[in-house]
């Protein structure tokens, strides 16, 4: 038969290309739509392995707040939002304490290498955030040195009466504004460095002032601090297991 005149015949596959594009578009819209379905968690709310958490607030809330509190109020351990304390403590010691814990105390090791849950990068996040900007605070406050040799026990007894007795009592057994600081259980658990830290920066959550506020208008000298610490150490029961490690 001969060719019938009229409109030219269109290729049979010409409609497939637009149809394929339409299908892909529909699939894409369905994918986007699934993320917007009611009840579906947002990407930031979806489950992540613990080792993937790198936000300071989340790490602090899950690992630290139980003992150190979220807002700096009275808790089982020293608050970690005290700028004076954070400027005073040696960052290398802070990192070691978080990593390895403190033997003989309730402070556990948090590094996975020591049986904890945190990776080294996560510990870096905690330390970096806690110590951010503390150098300027230390310079402005003219903080005493973090480490120093023990002073003289006799001079420490006199300095204790001047700076500490009004709160902790003349013998350190407790007074109107402070608990006993010669309790054998307390002194057996606390290190020399922790005693020095307490004398220098106080405890804001307990109402204990720092080295500048014990006597109005009179700041403790570095020597007086070392002497008071020596007197406190001399009250400690001499036991083989008494902790002597540096700690904040």
């Amino acid at each position: 038969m001969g060719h019938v005149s009229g409109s030219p015949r269109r290729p049979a596959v010409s409609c497939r290309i637009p149809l394929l594009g339409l299908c892909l578009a529909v699939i894409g819209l369905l994918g986007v739509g699934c993320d917007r379905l009611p009840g579906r968690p947002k990407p930031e709310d979806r489950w992540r392995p613990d080792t993937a958490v790198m936000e300071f607030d989340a790490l602090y809330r899950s690992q630290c707040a139980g003992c150190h509190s979220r807002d700096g109020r009275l808790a089982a351990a020293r608050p970690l939002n005290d700028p004076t304390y954070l400027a005073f403590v040696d960052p290398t010691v802070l990192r070691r304490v978080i990593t390895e814990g403190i033997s003989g105390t309730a402070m556990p090791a948090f590094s996975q290498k020591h049986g904890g849950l945190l990776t080294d990068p996560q510990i870096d996040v905690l330390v970096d955030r806690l110590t951010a900007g503390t150098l300027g605070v230390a310079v402005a406050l003219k903080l005493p040195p973090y480490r120093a040799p023990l002073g003289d026990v006799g001079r420490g007894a006199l300095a204790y009466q001047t700076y500490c007795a009004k709160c902790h009592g003349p013998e350190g057994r407790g007074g109107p504004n402070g608990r006993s600081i010669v309790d054998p259980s307390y002194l057996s658990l606390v290190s020399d460095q922790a005693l020095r830290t307490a004398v220098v920066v106080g405890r804001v959550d307990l109402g204990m002032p720092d080295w500048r506020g014990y006597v109005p208008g009179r700041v403790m000298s570095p020597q007086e601090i070392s002497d008071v610490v020596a007197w406190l150490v001399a009250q400690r029961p001499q036991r083989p297991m008494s902790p002597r490690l540096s700690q904040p």
Side-chain angles (χ1 to χ4, degrees):
M1 295 179 63
H3 175 69
V4 180
S5 61
S7 301
R9 184 178 299 172
R10 295 181 180 179
V13 297
S14 62
C15 64
R16 295 182 181 177
I17 295 178
L19 183 60
L20 177 61
L22 178 62
C23 291
L24 292 175
V26 171
I27 292 173
L29 289 173
L30 288 175
V32 173
C34 289
D35 280 339
R36 296 177 180 175
L37 289 175
R40 187 178 181 87
K42 299 177 181 178
E44 60 270 21
D45 296 330
R46 294 173 185 171
W47 178 87
R48 293 181 296 171
D50 291 339
T51 53
V53 177
M54 296 298 291
E55 296 80 19
F56 171 83
D57 290 342
L59 290 171
Y60 184 89
R61 185 170 56 250
S62 64
Q63 304 297 321
C64 313
C67 290
H68 295 281
S69 85
R70 294 187 183 185
D71 53 10
R73 296 180 181 178
L74 184 63
R78 174 183 292 279
L80 295 180
N81 66 345
D82 177 3
T84 303
Y85 165 72
L86 293 173
F88 178 69
V89 65
D90 187 329
T92 60
V93 174
L94 183 61
R95 184 181 300 277
R96 185 173 72 246
V97 167
I98 296 173
T99 300
E100 303 176 7
I102 303 175
S103 177
T105 74
M107 175 68 185
F110 283 90
S111 169
Q112 291 183 348
K113 297 176 182 177
H114 297 272
L117 298 175
L118 299 182
T119 64
D120 289 345
Q122 288 175 317
I123 293 175
D124 290 341
V125 169
L126 289 172
V127 175
D128 291 347
R129 173 69 175 274
L130 289 171
T131 59
T134 56
L135 180 59
V137 175
V139 172
L141 295 178
K142 298 180 180 179
L143 279 163
Y146 177 71
R147 294 183 178 88
L150 293 177
D152 180 81
V153 175
R155 292 197 307 263
L158 296 176
Y160 172 85
Q161 296 301 320
T162 300
Y163 295 102
C164 314
K166 68 177 182 179
C167 288
H168 296 285
E171 298 179 351
R173 301 185 185 280
N177 299 313
R179 65 181 184 181
S180 171
I181 53 173
V182 296
D183 179 84
S185 298
Y186 167 69
L187 291 175
S188 294
L189 290 173
V190 71
S191 71
D192 296 0
Q193 181 60 51
L195 290 172
R196 179 177 178 83
T197 298
V199 172
V200 174
V201 302
R203 282 287 298 268
V204 293
D205 55 327
L206 299 176
M208 179 181 175
D210 59 38
W211 84 108
R212 302 165 297 173
Y214 296 119
V215 176
R218 182 172 178 178
V219 177
M220 288 185 78
S221 70
Q223 186 60 61
E224 288 174 321
I225 293 170
S226 295
D227 291 341
V228 167
V229 174
W231 181 81
L232 290 170
V233 170
Q235 313 310 307
R236 179 189 288 137
Q238 296 303 310
R239 299 176 182 175
M241 297 303 292
S242 294
R244 310 293 290 186
L245 299 176
S246 292
Q247 59 177 317

